[in-house]
Amino acid sequence: MVTEVKMTEKYAMPDARGHFGPYGGIFVAETLIPPIQELNEAYQKFLQDPDFISELDADLAHYVGRPSPLYYAERWSRELGGAQIYLKREDLNHTGSHKINNTVGQALLAKRMGKTRIIAETGAGQHGVATATVAARLGLECVVYMGAVDVARQSLNVYRMKLLGATVVAVESGSKTLKDALNEALRDWVTNVDNTFYIIGTVAGPHPYPAMVRDFQAIIGREAKQQCLEMTGKLPDALVACVGGGSNAIGLFYPFIEDPSVRLIGVEAAGDGVKTGRHSAPLCAGRPGVLHGNRTYLMADDDGEIIETHSISAGLDYPGVGPEHAWLKDTGRAEYVNITDDEALEGFYALTRMEGIIPALESSHAMSHVMKLAPTMRKDQIIIVNLSGRGDKDMQTMAKREAIEL
Amino acid sequence: MSRLTAVFENLAQAGRKALIPFVTAGDPTPEFTLPLMHAMVAAGVDVIELGVPFSDPMADGPVIQKASERALANKMSLKKTLAMAAEFRKTNQSTPIVLMGYLNPIEAMGYENFADASQQADIDGVLTVDLPPEEGADCAALLKARGIDTIFLLAPNSSEERIRKMTSIGSGYLYYVSLKGVTGAGHLNIADVENKLKQIKAITTMPVGVGFGVKDAQTAKTIASVGDAVVVGSALISKIENNPANPEQAKAEIIQLLSAMRAAMDAA
């Protein structure tokens, strides 16, 4: 664990009931209150437990492969002609994304709580794979809910989950994407509360999930801070990360929240463009509301019905966002921008051809924003961008777009 | 005295139990629901739970999910549901209406606007599935100031502390969810229900309705022997789902089932 670098001291969010200002909280049906209380107690207890922390640290080192490198993208930086760009290489983690940081932590909690069955929702399938992976390792039954649309566009990950022994349930209700997978996972949990642990993959859901997932993902920012200081002798000037639910972004941002010189920039998916209405950018173009257990910015109509979202990347195709991002937006501590599908592809190709690294389509949104941001900054300034996942899972989507048959 | 309290007191005096149907407003069409409400009253129901359709009904099983989808396809909304309730009230001043749904449509309208609109529509109670008492005190206070009851859910795993909390903020009646699961799920265990109701009754004198998993007249009769009200939803709505081309047939089957439940409960 990185302990010698200054981390958050004064910023003490959320409060005891999970509120980030007006956001967050616990908005669930009564049957889920007792298991959420049980989870919260376990999480508070084990977070202070040296045995738990050392087991988690060992898993992160030897199973996940941490620390992940902070890579200086020298050629790409030179090409863009502005700030120096560093990539936080979460794509090099076991299973190929940052999602495993959280599933390793929650699975250890599940084991200590004596739960025998794991459920999860997934969009792109990265969280589903990361969950199926830890469930396989611990010998726990695993059921993953995935929207039928996502099952079709991320079939490689569906196959990976099945290989790992998970049952993948294609969800046919609603828009058949991530939000519907979450609904179905909540329905499963309410039915099987006694033996089941629900591993939520992002910093959303009822308290304590937004705080707990953040705490498990904050390893990204802790490492990045120390690595940046070691490599450059100073803090970065800006952090850039894509935001769907927002777990990789909060993981990177959190240890820097009390460093005011560091800009925190979250990149939402603008799909066909925010003005078209076909997007997944609630922070940029949504309104506060309540969904999936917390109050946050949502994409909803005037009647409060949730609007269908769109993004080329299944992992960002979600109408809500973690409540802490809503708070960081309102307080002005973080900035949120958006990148269209077409722009994201530019980021995808640029990183692939400049640095020989194929990013996930989700992460490509962050890369694309870096292409806009870096040239506006001085050469002695530093950007750390979170390369939250690798693009292997997106080969079919990309090939289809290029009309190539694999 | 609220309309809900009056209904439960009258029933108690007569030694009878309340029959409470749940239907989703605007399912399958906006025109269908209002005549159905009047027909259900004629069949002997005591209170109507009117479902406000929502895009993401997380606590509902497939039957009520699809009811929401059908209603939303016809542009049903919270505003239109309130208008429907107001229309019902023009010719029925005695049957309480409880709005049942999810929080986000109320958030979009604003709590105060919602409380005002509910008062204007002469709504009697509001049950918001994803608004537990910890987060719901503000909304409940606004409703209470307008004479509207807030109904809370209780679950098999609710602690005594939580039951007390519901009884202090809630009013009208408590809705006991008879099983761990979504609406319309599995089969309820009557012995478990009876034990839990004993625990609840030891804490409060508020009437307790029992729902989730009430499928037929026999179950309704059994539940009526232990609870103060029987709530039935999915079993009614499945009639609509099963008669997509013939809503009149669906209505006839709904009334038939409610009449059978009423008769069975009164014979108890």
Side-chain angles (χ1 to χ4, degrees):
Chain A
M1 282 247 146
V2 180
T3 48
E4 59 273 40
V5 182
K6 182 180 97 58
M7 301 300 167
T8 56
E9 288 170 350
K10 292 188 199 120
Y11 178 88
M13 290 292 199
D15 70 15
R17 290 198 292 134
H19 295 117
F20 302 87
Y23 304 109
I26 300 176
F27 295 88
V28 295
E30 183 58 24
T31 315
L32 287 181
I33 295 282
I36 282 170
Q37 282 174 343
E38 183 191 359
L39 171 64
N40 194 27
E41 281 159 23
Y43 152 73
Q44 301 294 349
K45 178 179 148 204
F46 288 119
L47 217 62
Q48 313 294 330
D49 177 353
D51 286 347
F52 180 85
I53 298 295
S54 74
E55 191 175 352
L56 177 61
D57 283 350
D59 279 357
L60 289 172
H62 304 294
Y63 190 65
V64 177
R66 303 204 70 90
S68 70
L70 186 69
Y71 166 74
Y72 175 36
E74 191 175 357
R75 187 178 171 218
W76 199 32
S77 302
R78 198 166 59 235
E79 171 78 14
L80 291 172
Q84 306 308 303
I85 301 160
Y86 289 77
L87 307 176
K88 184 57 176 162
R89 297 293 306 274
E90 294 300 302
D91 61 318
L92 294 178
N93 293 340
H94 179 40
T95 73
S97 82
H98 73 290
K99 292 293 186 188
I100 190 107
N101 301 331
N102 168 51
T103 60
V104 161
Q106 289 199 46
L108 285 182
L109 263 185
K111 195 174 79 172
R112 284 177 193 237
M113 290 170 71
K115 303 293 181 183
T116 56
R117 182 173 176 271
I118 298 286
I119 59 169
E121 84 296 335
T122 196
Q126 291 302 93
H127 174 59
V129 168
T131 303
T133 297
V134 295
R137 180 168 174 247
L138 297 176
L140 301 172
E141 183 191 350
C142 180
V143 178
V144 179
Y145 292 92
M146 191 170 184
V149 168
D150 295 335
V151 167
R153 62 179 163 174
Q154 302 284 346
S155 57
L156 276 175
N157 271 345
V158 174
Y159 182 58
R160 288 170 81 194
M161 287 183 267
K162 288 181 178 169
L163 276 178
L164 289 159
T167 303
V168 180
V169 179
V171 177
E172 298 283 353
S173 60
S175 60
K176 304 176 189 183
T177 59
L178 180 52
K179 81 171 173 77
D180 310 286
L182 237 151
N183 291 339
E184 212 54 41
L186 286 168
R187 289 176 189 127
D188 180 312
W189 198 23
V190 88
T191 308
N192 301 291
V193 284
D194 295 330
N195 70 342
T196 297
F197 190 105
Y198 179 14
I199 299 187
I200 292 185
T202 192
V203 285
H207 179 66
Y209 283 102
M212 178 172 68
V213 176
R214 174 197 70 194
D215 291 345
F216 287 136
Q217 290 294 0
I219 183 92
I220 301 172
R222 287 199 300 272
E223 286 177 3
K225 196 171 196 177
Q226 174 154 333
Q227 289 165 325
C228 187
L229 287 169
E230 284 168 4
M231 292 167 78
T232 71
K234 57 182 183 177
L235 289 176
D237 296 280
L239 306 178
V240 179
C242 65
V243 176
S247 67
N248 89 80
I250 215 79
L252 178 63
F253 293 174
Y254 184 58
F256 292 90
I257 281 180
E258 290 175 348
D259 296 305
S261 67
V262 182
R263 286 173 69 188
L264 312 178
I265 305 172
V267 185
E268 293 194 300
D272 291 341
V274 164
K275 283 179 186 156
T276 65
R278 283 174 49 77
H279 61 86
S280 304
L283 288 168
C284 294
R287 62 176 88 194
V290 169
L291 181 70
H292 294 149
N294 67 101
R295 183 179 288 119
T296 187
Y297 279 83
L298 296 176
M299 291 181 54
D301 66 17
D302 291 342
D303 292 320
E305 306 295 342
I306 305 305
I307 299 172
E308 288 200 11
T309 53
H310 170 78
S311 170
I312 189 172
S313 65
L316 303 182
D317 207 344
Y318 180 66
V321 63
E324 192 160 16
H325 284 294
W327 173 245
L328 292 174
K329 173 193 156 77
D330 282 10
T331 58
R333 179 62 191 94
E335 310 154 51
Y336 295 89
V337 298
N338 56 84
I339 286 291
T340 64
D341 286 354
D342 289 345
E343 290 171 327
L345 291 175
E346 289 173 28
F348 176 89
Y349 288 118
L351 195 70
T352 301
R353 305 227 171 116
M354 281 294 154
E355 296 289 349
I357 297 171
I358 302 178
L361 284 172
E362 291 76 16
S363 319
S364 298
H365 287 73
M367 301 306 146
S368 176
H369 185 68
V370 165
M371 292 167 72
K372 291 184 182 179
L373 180 66
T376 69
M377 293 168 69
R378 295 191 316 269
K379 286 187 179 168
D380 64 338
Q381 292 185 303
I382 295 168
I383 297 173
I384 296 178
V385 55
N386 203 359
L387 180 45
S388 54
R390 58 178 175 241
D392 305 34
K393 69 180 176 59
D394 296 310
M395 291 302 101
Q396 284 174 326
T397 303
M398 292 305 297
K400 201 174 160 193
R401 254 190 116 87
E402 296 182 345
I404 295 167
E405 210 162 308
L406 293 178
Chain B
M1 186 190 298
S2 80
R3 210 178 263 127
L4 274 169
T5 305
V7 161
F8 278 104
E9 283 194 3
N10 289 340
L11 284 167
Q13 276 170 15
R16 296 169 73 232
K17 302 298 174 72
L19 177 58
I20 308 182
F22 169 95
V23 291
T24 300
D27 171 34
T29 62
E31 299 73 37
F32 181 77
T33 309
L34 190 59
L36 175 65
M37 290 165 76
H38 288 300
M40 292 193 299
V41 172
V45 309
D46 304 287
V47 176
I48 293 173
E49 286 185 356
L50 191 57
V52 182
F54 182 51
S55 51
D56 295 81
M58 289 149 282
D60 284 301
V63 171
I64 294 179
Q65 284 173 47
K66 283 179 199 149
S68 252
E69 287 178 14
R70 286 191 294 267
L72 289 174
N74 287 312
K75 309 275 179 219
M76 200 61 198
S77 65
L78 174 55
K79 269 182 209 155
K80 289 180 187 171
T81 305
L82 286 163
M84 183 182 283
E87 194 63 31
F88 174 83
R89 193 57 80 217
K90 283 182 184 167
T91 49
N92 180 322
Q93 281 85 45
S94 59
T95 308
I97 293 183
V98 173
L99 290 185
M100 183 168 175
Y102 293 80
L103 183 56
N104 203 49
I106 298 175
E107 290 257 326
M109 188 178 278
Y111 288 180
E112 193 137 16
N113 288 343
F114 169 69
D116 287 342
S118 297
Q119 186 179 29
Q120 277 158 26
D122 208 351
I123 295 293
D124 299 285
V126 174
L127 195 171
T128 311
V129 176
D130 54 350
L131 186 59
E134 290 80 5
E135 301 282 355
D138 292 352
C139 196
L142 288 167
L143 292 169
K144 192 173 188 177
R146 290 159 181 78
I148 300 168
D149 291 312
T150 295
I151 289 97
F152 284 106
L153 297 174
L154 284 174
N157 51 359
S158 295
S159 65
E160 223 170 280
E161 182 199 341
R162 291 197 66 76
I163 298 170
R164 287 184 202 287
K165 196 174 272 180
M166 311 296 180
T167 57
S168 71
I169 303 177
S171 57
Y173 62 100
L174 291 164
Y175 185 139
Y176 178 62
V177 174
S178 63
L179 45 81
K180 292 173 189 163
V182 293
T183 51
H187 290 282
L188 53 83
N189 180 321
I190 189 66
D192 290 349
V193 172
E194 196 169 0
N195 282 333
K196 192 71 188 181
L197 286 187
K198 269 186 199 147
Q199 188 195 5
I200 298 169
K201 288 284 183 187
I203 295 171
T204 180
T205 54
M206 214 188 297
V208 183
V210 179
F212 282 43
V214 180
K215 289 181 163 60
D216 50 35
Q218 185 53 46
T219 318
K221 177 178 175 157
T222 314
I223 290 294
S225 69
V226 294
D228 302 301
V230 176
V231 187
V232 55
S234 297
L236 304 179
I237 292 175
S238 63
K239 309 293 186 192
I240 297 174
E241 185 177 345
N242 295 338
N243 293 285
N246 193 349
E248 281 311 306
Q249 176 64 25
K251 186 171 152 189
E253 290 180 20
I254 288 169
I255 297 306
Q256 195 179 13
L257 178 56
L258 286 172
S259 303
M261 286 180 165
R262 178 83 269 169
M265 286 163 65
D266 289 350

